[in-house]
Amino acid sequence: MLNSTLKQLSALLAQKKLSSVELTQSYLDRVARLNPGLNAFVTVDADRSLAQARAADAQIAAGKAQALTGIPVAHKDIFCAKGWRTTCGSKMLANFVSPYDAHVVERLNAAGAVILGKTNMDEFAMGSSSETCFWGPVKNPWDRTRVPGGSSGGSAAAVAARMAPVAIGTDTGGSIRQPAALSGICGLKPTYGVVSRYGMIAFASSLDQGGPLAKSAADLALMLNVMAGFDARDSTSLERPAEDYARALEAPPTGDRAKPLAGLRIGVPKEYFGEGLGSDVGAAVEAALAQFEKLGAQRVAISLPNSGLSVPAYYVIAPAEASSNLSRFDGVRYGYRAAEYSDLADMYRKSRAQGFGAEVKRRILIGTYVLSHGYYDAYYLKAQKIRRLIARDFVEAYQQCDLIMGPTSPNVAFALGAKASDPVQMYLNDIYTVAANLAGLPAMSIPCGFGEGNMPVGLHLTGNYFAEAKMLHAAHQYQLATDWHLRQPAGTE
Amino acid sequence: MSLSLPEVKRIAWLARIEITDAEAAAAQGQLNDIFKLIEQMQSVDTGGVAPMAHGQDVVQRLREDRVTETDQHAIYQAIAPQVENGLYLVPKVIE
Amino acid sequence: MDWETVIGIETHAQLSTASKIFSGAATQFGAAPNVQACAVDIALPGVLPVLNRAAVEKAVRLGLAVGAQINRRSVFARKNYFYPDLPKGYQISQYELPVVQGGSLPVMIKDVAKIVKLTRAHLEEDAGKSLHEDFHGLSGIDLNRAGTPLLEIVTEPDMRSAEEAVAYAKALHALVRWIGICDGNMQEGSFRCDANVSVRPKGAQVLGTRCEIKNLNSFRFLEEAINYEVRRQIELLEDGGSVVQETRLYDPERKQTRSMRSKEDAHDYRYFPDPDLLPLVISAETIEQIRSELPELPQAKRERYMRDYQLSPYDAGVLTSSREVADFYENLIQALGGGYKLASSWIAGELFGALKRAGLEICQSPISSGQLAGLLQRIQNNAINGKQAKEVFDAMWNGEGDAEAIILARGLTQISDARELEQIIDGVLAANLKSVEEYRAGKEKAFNALVGQAMKATKGNGNPAQINGILKKKLEG
């Protein structure tokens, strides 16, 4: 059961060989057993989860089951869920019980999925290691002395350790894909605007996008089917016809069955294989590319000349938006308020100084500075122009190829604490992932081997706008031919 | 470019985050390291490039002028630090 | 030294929409605290703004009414600052690219016309309210008003006196109500002015340092605040001091402006385009649609009244002071089939006088335009004289029915029969020989006395014009 796909679980539920209550309880038991060592979940509420499971069983009994009915899903603690404490990994929201549901949560609930619990994350999604959490760091299930990646590290660790069949996360600069890579699972960030941001606590509004984390591309597709969709409450939500991503996976290969990816042109940017890339990661990615060629894909050398500027531009734009987005946390209407203060300004300053952690404060300061008088043009405006150059690089590239592939992260998971005191080293972890957010493109990570310390390596795929189905199809075909995605960390049986 | 200590304190004030001298000094070093990374942006000529605010070139959708919300203030104020008679309370506001 | 005052006005006009600019909460005035503050208005984590179509359309309406450029593409920006009545820690406004740019407003200062140029008008959201009473030294925050749509209308520094500033503010106030974008209720804060005031030596080219006086919510306060501020600045400068650029508040009790403490520290609003909102694009079709729905504007109406009805600039101005007045006038002259000047003088005279005494607006007038037309018709066809008409008017005001019924009930018929009048006048002349002699000796005043006696003899029912004619003929004949 632990390595079953969502489709298999659904079938078991539909055939009544398993009830949602049994399935949910079995995962709750695993969380109770494994979580103390991994710290992937921050809130578990068995009563609520089981109540949802019972409702799902009733739906199944009534013959009203949908693709996710009865399936437990782990929610990153950034999604507001009515009645659930929603902390965003912060002391600021340690006692915040959401009075409403995010759009994604509404859709999952409506599809019959069960909220298994809320997962740990870098505070306000600011981090690449899940170490900046108010609730303590998340441990990597493959090696508990290492980080699981971040910011959706709790969701990634939960799926990797089989504490949840599937999870949801958010990705502002790689926060789904990088932890998926470092934890040996799959993660997808859709095209900006495909998943509503309503109820997803904002980090950087023009970059944030929700998406699924799962063991396989096929599971990602089923999740995306439910998560994607227009929402009138998000001005940036796109109105487009619904797509069945799962059906696209099954698309029968035309011609040679041994070469299901014939005709697919894979762009390999030379900039992603230069200085800074770990040789172990490089080797695993090369092997994966060779496998794709075996499946019929054609490898095309491309260039993304401005990719080196994506991290600098990202670390201007994301903190700038964040500094403003986080101004609402002022201790007036909800959230943390300092116990003692002398006046109004002091209440703001103390509440925010005590309620936010070091990394969040650092990014608020960066963002405040780059927007401040006299610096706006040199930093914020400049970054927005570079953003366009980066997006143009992709437009050029997609004239030559259909998907772009490379490493998700330059190295395998690093040791807990290794980069905690060096923000620049931490930020450089995002070097291959932030460009997709800046350009608004869909991207994903899938496991493609192991590197140093027998830690998982992720392969990064970037598609053109709305090319989720194409990406998922390619990833699924790769997973039919390989078994990296089926590996499970030792000690999580 | 590098940030001075008074600048660090000024932005902390603008952001309404209390900062001790020691914290400001530590932040100054870290911020300057980060700005060294950011400064790489200045190496490219962006003359004539239009700034890009969103991933896609789409326009604002408009909502019809209808009242869709009902009174929920009791629920919202259940999670507020300090309320009285339906009002959020804060230290005296001086105009 | 002679000083010149320079004034620019920023007006916040609350757009009369049912729901807020970025949320579906109601905008009604006077609700209990925070019951109209929804999740978006109180800025719960994760909520997002969506723009109200009606707010955009009303902004375009104003832009078209002042002959401005409607920017086909405009952008919403965040203005960042911390204040408890500002739940998000930023106000969504428009900064670099406002929806309306340029335009102008014609203003009458006494009988002199002046054009006040507008810089821009932009959409933004209102803040909540801080209440300072009765919270044991704390302030209470009510966010019902947070998110109410505002149109901020900014002029060039075109005005040169408090009188001009007030005339502009009144013209704008009339216009926003005229085109139906704002209810103009100043007590409720629907129309608030900030005045940017500076002085400079007469003839100087550069502007002096200005002070911004915030939140003036009556025309009287606007005038008093500017006059005080001008005196204060001139005194400062004449004493060798200098004006500090700052935000000030007007205290109507003391009739003084004072520095606003909360605005003391230099603001750095860190404006940037709001990433939660996309560029606002307004199509040419939308603009044309809104243009086609615009009513005839006050300026055009005023000119038409002067040209087609031969009204004086003053009368035309009075009749176009609001859309309700103009509608009343037009309904009246339509019912009369003319009588432009008669209708004008009755509205501006009797009707306005009575409304003012009763503290009523024209839309609350107990006399309808149709009823007044009934009365004016009797005057036009000489059925009653002026004095009688006033009596009928008062009776109509008191609800005694239409003009015809009142005239009948009170037997108010004018004596226009020449033979009857001649008989009466003969009697008057016989009884007032002294006046007759005086008149014949060249004393014009004596004639008026005789007219008075004749009117008295008809019990006020004589036709004054006829009496005049008969008297003259008899005295000179």
Side-chain angles (χ1 to χ4, degrees):
Chain A
M1 185 195 82
L2 290 183
N3 283 308
S4 303
T5 63
L6 290 184
K7 205 172 160 185
Q8 289 165 337
L9 288 177
S10 252
L12 291 174
L13 290 165
Q15 293 155 10
K16 307 206 175 66
K17 290 183 178 157
L18 181 68
S19 72
S20 176
V21 168
E22 287 163 347
L23 182 64
T24 303
Q25 188 60 58
S26 75
Y27 276 107
L28 286 170
D29 292 345
R30 288 186 63 80
V31 172
R33 184 156 58 85
L34 294 168
N35 196 54
L38 295 170
N39 201 26
F41 283 85
V42 294
T43 304
V44 175
D45 185 337
D47 291 347
R48 277 179 182 273
S49 300
L50 290 169
Q52 270 191 305
R54 276 191 294 276
D57 283 331
Q59 290 284 306
I60 294 165
K64 291 180 188 162
Q66 303 169 61
L68 294 184
T69 302
I71 305 286
V73 178
H75 288 217
K76 186 181 184 178
D77 206 19
I78 199 168
F79 291 97
C80 286
K82 193 170 181 176
W84 285 83
R85 188 177 67 156
T86 301
T87 74
C88 221
S90 182
K91 180 181 180 184
M92 185 58 88
L93 292 176
N95 294 316
F96 179 75
V97 177
S98 176
Y100 78 105
D101 280 332
H103 184 245
V104 165
V105 174
E106 275 176 8
R107 287 184 74 96
L108 284 166
N109 286 344
V114 172
I115 302 177
L116 185 61
K118 307 293 290 281
T119 62
N120 206 351
M121 55 181 284
D122 279 302
E123 185 180 5
F124 284 102
M126 296 178 192
S128 308
S129 65
S130 299
E131 292 173 290
T132 71
C133 330
F134 174 62
W135 310 106
V138 184
K139 316 282 172 55
N140 192 316
W142 296 88
D143 176 351
R144 293 172 191 200
T145 68
R146 303 200 193 215
V147 304
S151 65
S152 309
S155 282
V159 174
R162 279 37 175 186
M163 285 191 283
V166 71
I168 58 173
T170 60
D171 189 316
T172 305
S175 280
I176 287 175
R177 295 160 287 154
Q178 187 257 15
L182 270 47
S183 302
I185 61 160
C186 304
L188 170 75
K189 179 201 92 74
T191 304
Y192 184 80
V194 163
V195 169
S196 168
R197 294 182 298 112
Y198 185 82
M200 217 172 86
I201 299 174
F203 163 12
S205 311
S206 77
L207 305 168
D208 294 344
Q209 191 63 196
L213 295 99
K215 294 189 294 289
S216 66
D219 286 358
L220 291 179
L222 282 174
M223 286 293 287
L224 189 58
N225 274 353
V226 173
M227 295 176 77
F230 173 67
D231 178 12
R233 295 166 302 185
D234 174 1
S235 293
T236 62
S237 172
L238 298 167
E239 277 181 281
R240 39 196 319 277
E243 255 183 271
D244 186 346
Y245 301 100
R247 217 173 117 175
L249 302 174
E250 315 291 333
T254 52
D256 190 349
R257 294 181 71 91
K259 295 198 183 302
L261 298 180
L264 182 77
R265 297 167 302 163
I266 296 173
V268 182
K270 62 170 193 253
E271 291 81 4
Y272 287 9
F273 292 84
E275 202 190 330
L277 177 63
S279 57
D280 54 338
V281 173
V285 170
E286 278 299 342
L289 291 169
Q291 178 65 45
F292 273 96
E293 285 183 282
K294 252 174 86 180
L295 293 170
Q298 180 199 346
R299 179 171 171 158
V300 183
I302 61 159
S303 173
L304 298 169
N306 293 294
S307 56
L309 294 172
S310 57
V311 168
Y314 175 83
Y315 277 95
V316 170
I317 294 168
E321 294 183 9
S323 71
S324 177
N325 281 336
L326 269 59
S327 292
R328 68 188 58 198
F329 302 106
D330 59 4
V332 174
R333 299 163 312 286
Y334 49 78
Y336 180 79
R337 181 189 284 200
E340 285 175 29
Y341 40 83
S342 58
D343 59 18
L344 180 64
D346 199 45
M347 185 202 84
Y348 285 147
R349 294 170 66 236
K350 286 202 164 67
S351 299
R352 290 166 61 79
Q354 295 163 18
F356 291 138
E359 181 61 23
V360 169
K361 286 192 263 191
R362 185 149 51 232
R363 297 207 196 183
I364 291 175
L365 293 183
I366 297 170
T368 303
Y369 185 69
V370 299
L371 290 176
S372 68
H373 187 70
Y375 298 101
Y376 179 85
D377 287 4
Y379 293 111
Y380 189 75
L381 203 63
K382 182 81 180 179
Q384 295 283 51
K385 289 176 177 176
I386 287 172
R387 185 175 185 179
R388 182 159 313 271
L389 295 180
I390 288 165
R392 277 187 197 161
D393 284 353
F394 281 103
V395 171
E396 296 269 307
Y398 286 120
Q399 313 234 322
Q400 298 162 261
C401 64
D402 304 302
L403 296 176
I404 293 170
M405 291 191 197
T408 305
S409 178
N411 295 101
V412 296
F414 46 91
L416 283 158
K419 299 184 181 182
S421 59
D422 187 347
V424 171
Q425 281 312 304
M426 188 70 89
Y427 296 174
L428 287 171
N429 250 287
D430 303 338
I431 190 150
Y432 305 127
T433 50
V434 294
N437 300 83
L438 290 169
L441 294 165
M444 65 189 288
S445 180
I446 56 173
C448 71
F450 291 86
E452 179 268 313
N454 209 26
M455 294 302 288
V457 173
L459 175 75
H460 192 250
L461 294 76
T462 311
N464 208 339
Y465 297 107
F466 310 113
E468 284 86 350
K470 190 179 280 181
M471 271 192 330
L472 286 164
H473 174 69
H476 181 63
Q477 294 303 322
Y478 174 83
Q479 291 182 335
L480 288 177
T482 59
D483 67 352
W484 302 115
H485 65 292
L486 299 176
R487 309 292 178 90
Q488 187 181 340
T492 64
E493 291 78 18
Chain B
M1 87 110 243
S2 77
L3 266 93
S4 66
L5 206 55
E7 274 180 307
V8 172
K9 289 184 175 174
R10 185 181 70 88
I11 56 176
W13 164 255
L14 273 179
R16 296 295 187 275
I17 294 175
E18 187 178 58
I19 193 165
T20 64
D21 287 349
E23 285 168 339
Q28 186 192 6
Q30 283 170 333
L31 293 178
N32 280 324
D33 283 349
I34 295 164
F35 273 96
K36 262 185 226 127
L37 174 72
I38 289 173
E39 287 303 327
Q40 290 173 18
M41 291 196 310
Q42 311 304 341
S43 65
V44 252
D45 178 11
T46 48
V49 179
M52 177 170 155
H54 282 97
Q56 281 173 67
D57 193 17
V58 278
V59 303
Q60 181 61 36
R61 186 166 17 86
L62 299 176
R63 180 176 63 75
E64 296 310 317
D65 180 25
R66 273 196 297 272
V67 176
T68 54
E69 301 299 318
T70 53
D71 175 20
Q72 307 274 323
H73 82 282
I75 294 164
Y76 297 153
Q77 293 190 346
I79 50 172
Q82 200 179 0
V83 286
E84 191 175 306
N85 296 332
L87 295 156
Y88 296 98
L89 295 191
V90 296
K92 191 115 191 132
V93 176
I94 299 157
E95 283 195 334
Chain C
M1 192 188 294
D2 275 351
W3 297 91
E4 180 179 50
T5 303
V6 177
I7 303 161
I9 304 275
E10 292 169 20
T11 306
H12 289 92
Q14 181 184 319
L15 298 173
S16 44
T17 56
S19 65
K20 292 186 180 173
I21 183 166
F22 297 117
S23 82
T27 55
Q28 257 170 40
F29 183 82
N34 288 308
V35 307
Q36 286 175 182
C38 73
V40 172
D41 305 324
I42 67 168
L44 281 183
V47 298
L48 296 167
V50 185
L51 183 57
N52 184 338
R53 179 188 304 279
V56 174
E57 288 175 352
K58 285 173 196 288
V60 172
R61 255 173 178 253
L62 177 98
L64 294 174
V66 297
Q69 175 189 324
I70 307 301
N71 281 330
R72 299 286 298 279
R73 185 185 174 88
S74 65
V75 170
F76 285 92
R78 293 184 182 177
K79 179 181 182 178
N80 294 283
Y81 64 98
F82 286 88
Y83 211 66
D85 66 11
L86 190 71
K88 295 187 293 298
Y90 57 85
Q91 178 195 31
I92 306 177
S93 182
Q94 295 191 301
Y95 185 54
E96 280 183 339
L97 276 175
V99 60
V100 172
Q101 211 148 19
S104 63
L105 192 65
V107 171
M108 296 295 290
I109 299 124
K110 298 216 173 72
D111 279 348
V112 183
K114 180 183 171 102
I115 301 288
V116 175
K117 289 191 292 298
L118 303 180
T119 312
R120 59 189 273 159
H122 66 253
L123 283 163
E124 63 182 29
E125 57 179 343
D126 207 344
K129 273 183 184 162
S130 307
L131 308 169
H132 307 296
E133 305 86 22
D134 296 331
F135 300 105
H136 7 275
L138 302 175
S139 289
I141 307 298
D142 174 9
L143 298 173
N144 279 346
R145 203 179 64 182
T148 299
L150 298 179
L151 189 63
E152 179 172 336
I153 304 152
V154 183
T155 74
E156 295 289 304
D158 268 6
M159 286 147 284
R160 294 290 174 267
S161 66
E163 190 188 16
E164 288 188 14
V166 169
Y168 161 77
K170 283 184 172 168
L172 182 65
H173 184 253
L175 180 68
V176 296
R177 292 169 68 229
W178 189 284
I179 59 176
I181 66 166
C182 170
D183 68 17
N185 191 321
M186 297 179 82
Q187 285 83 45
E188 292 177 3
S190 300
F191 188 89
R192 328 192 275 270
C193 294
D194 302 341
N196 282 297
V197 180
S198 65
V199 297
R200 62 180 170 191
K202 248 204 169 86
Q205 288 303 303
V206 286
L207 291 172
T209 305
R210 66 187 159 86
C211 288
E212 182 179 14
I213 315 168
K214 281 242 173 250
N215 276 334
L216 297 162
N217 65 353
S218 86
F219 297 126
R220 187 161 64 84
F221 294 166
L222 177 65
E223 184 168 18
E224 289 172 0
I226 291 172
N227 283 333
Y228 173 85
E229 185 60 20
V230 168
R231 276 199 309 278
R232 187 186 74 88
Q233 291 186 14
I234 291 174
E235 277 170 28
L236 259 177
L237 294 170
E238 288 188 338
D239 289 349
S242 59
V243 175
V244 181
Q245 184 168 339
E246 62 179 355
T247 306
R248 300 179 70 85
L249 272 184
Y250 181 63
D251 180 343
E253 308 248 303
R254 297 172 153 188
K255 296 191 188 299
Q256 286 177 358
T257 66
R258 63 171 168 87
S259 186
M260 243 175 121
R261 277 205 282 165
S262 61
K263 302 263 175 182
E264 255 171 24
D265 61 290
H267 270 302
D268 185 340
Y269 290 124
R270 289 159 285 139
Y271 282 101
F272 75 109
D274 190 332
D276 285 331
L277 293 162
L278 297 161
L280 169 62
V281 171
I282 304 171
S283 70
E285 297 79 66
T286 301
I287 294 172
E288 286 321 304
Q289 176 65 34
I290 294 168
R291 195 194 302 279
S292 72
E293 291 162 5
L294 266 185
E296 185 186 21
L297 296 174
Q299 170 76 357
K301 237 186 227 306
R302 192 153 60 227
E303 282 164 7
R304 184 164 63 83
Y305 288 177
M306 285 156 63
R307 186 183 63 238
D308 295 354
Y309 305 157
Q310 280 87 48
L311 298 187
S312 71
Y314 178 81
D315 288 344
V318 168
L319 293 176
T320 55
S321 60
S322 80
R323 198 158 152 195
E324 291 77 15
V325 173
D327 285 347
F328 194 100
Y329 176 66
E330 292 188 10
N331 289 336
L332 181 55
I333 57 179
Q334 197 186 0
L336 279 176
Y340 309 125
K341 285 189 177 167
L342 182 67
S344 160
S345 69
W346 272 80
I347 290 175
E350 288 305 306
L351 183 64
F352 275 12
L355 288 171
K356 195 174 175 188
R357 281 192 296 278
L360 296 176
E361 295 294 320
I362 195 155
C363 52
Q364 304 164 300
S365 168
I367 299 179
S368 70
S369 57
Q371 284 179 305
L372 188 56
L375 171 59
L376 300 195
Q377 261 156 10
R378 299 303 187 284
I379 299 173
Q380 278 181 320
N381 59 26
N382 286 327
I384 53 173
N385 64 32
K387 185 166 166 285
Q388 291 171 324
K390 285 186 174 116
E391 187 182 336
V392 176
F393 181 92
D394 290 340
M396 276 204 297
W397 183 272
N398 294 327
E400 290 176 30
D402 289 347
E404 194 180 340
I406 294 167
I407 289 165
L408 260 173
R410 300 194 172 202
L412 295 175
T413 44
Q414 184 164 249
I415 303 170
S416 302
D417 183 277
R419 273 225 326 257
E420 192 181 344
L421 284 175
E422 274 190 42
Q423 270 180 12
I424 293 169
I425 286 168
D426 285 340
V428 168
L429 289 176
N432 294 282
L433 288 171
K434 196 173 167 222
S435 294
V436 173
E437 269 170 39
E438 279 173 4
Y439 176 77
R440 291 197 170 130
K443 239 182 151 184
E444 288 287 327
K445 259 190 181 169
F447 183 75
N448 292 339
L450 290 167
V451 172
Q453 289 300 324
M455 281 304 284
K456 200 174 163 185
T458 63
K459 300 192 178 75
N461 295 338
N463 181 327
Q466 265 183 303
I467 290 175
N468 258 302
I470 295 168
L471 255 176
K472 232 167 215 153
K473 206 172 70 196
K474 288 200 182 281
L475 287 169
E476 274 148 33

